[in-house]
Structures are given as structure tokens and as C-alpha cells.
Amino acid sequence: MTQVLIWLAVAMIVVAAGLTLWRMTQGPSTLDRIVSSDVLISTVLMSICLVMVISRDTSSLSILLVLAMVAFTGGVSVARMLAPGAADRQRYRRGVQEDEQ
């Protein structure tokens, strides 16, 4: 039963990665491509977790944590830059003085 669940999880990860790569290449906008890259990182995290389950070894846990932090930071920064009014909140643009804002 465990082998069936593992193969089912592998199939689901492969399908998710394939659909994500399709969206990344065929996405109509840049935002679609950015979101699909974030989903692809999550798919990679799931595959690393599955390898940890299969091998019964937790030595890759630090890689998971670092990759999850990088993905979160990237997602939040993209969301902040694409949010409405993001240009008003940018304090560190070149050539803009404090009194001009």
C-alpha cells in the first residue's frame, strides 16, 4: 500500500511540474510566469520531501528550509512590486529626493 501511495505522489508531482512548466512557457503575462515559477519551486520542495520519505533520511531538511525561505521572500517582493501604488512606496529610487515625495 505504501508503494502505491509513493507512486501516486510521484505521478502527481510530475503532472504538477509539467503543467507548471507549460504555464511558464505559455503564460500570457509576466505575472503568470512569475506565479508559475513560485509554484515550480513548491513542486521542487514536494519532490525533495518525497525523496526524504523514500530514503528515510532527514539530512535534506536544511535545504528545504532555505529554499522555502527564498521562495517566500521572492514571492513577497514580487507581490509588493506589482501591487497597486507600489511606485508611491518606493523610497529608494534613484533621483528622487525626500522633499519631492
Side-chain angles (χ1 to χ4, degrees):
M1 182 67 179
T2 305
Q3 291 293 326
V4 172
L5 291 175
I6 288 175
W7 283 109
L8 183 65
V10 168
M12 289 169 46
I13 288 173
V14 167
V15 168
L19 290 173
T20 302
L21 287 173
W22 177 77
R23 174 52 73 187
M24 192 179 290
T25 58
Q26 302 296 321
S29 69
T30 305
L31 184 60
D32 286 333
R33 291 183 174 96
I34 291 170
V35 169
S36 65
S37 68
D38 196 34
V39 171
L40 189 64
I41 291 174
S42 298
T43 308
V44 168
L45 287 171
M46 288 187 295
S47 62
I48 292 173
C49 286
L50 189 62
V51 168
M52 285 174 47
V53 167
I54 292 171
S55 65
R56 297 180 186 201
D57 184 27
T58 60
S59 62
S60 302
L61 191 59
S62 59
I63 295 171
L64 281 174
L65 291 173
V66 170
L67 191 56
M69 286 190 305
V70 168
F72 174 75
T73 305
V76 168
S77 63
V78 166
R80 284 193 58 138
M81 294 308 266
L82 294 177
D88 298 335
R89 291 191 308 258
Q90 292 178 355
R91 297 184 193 138
Y92 304 109
R93 290 185 291 175
R94 291 185 182 172
V96 175
Q97 299 297 326
E98 284 292 323
D99 49 297
E100 290 178 9
Q101 294 181 359

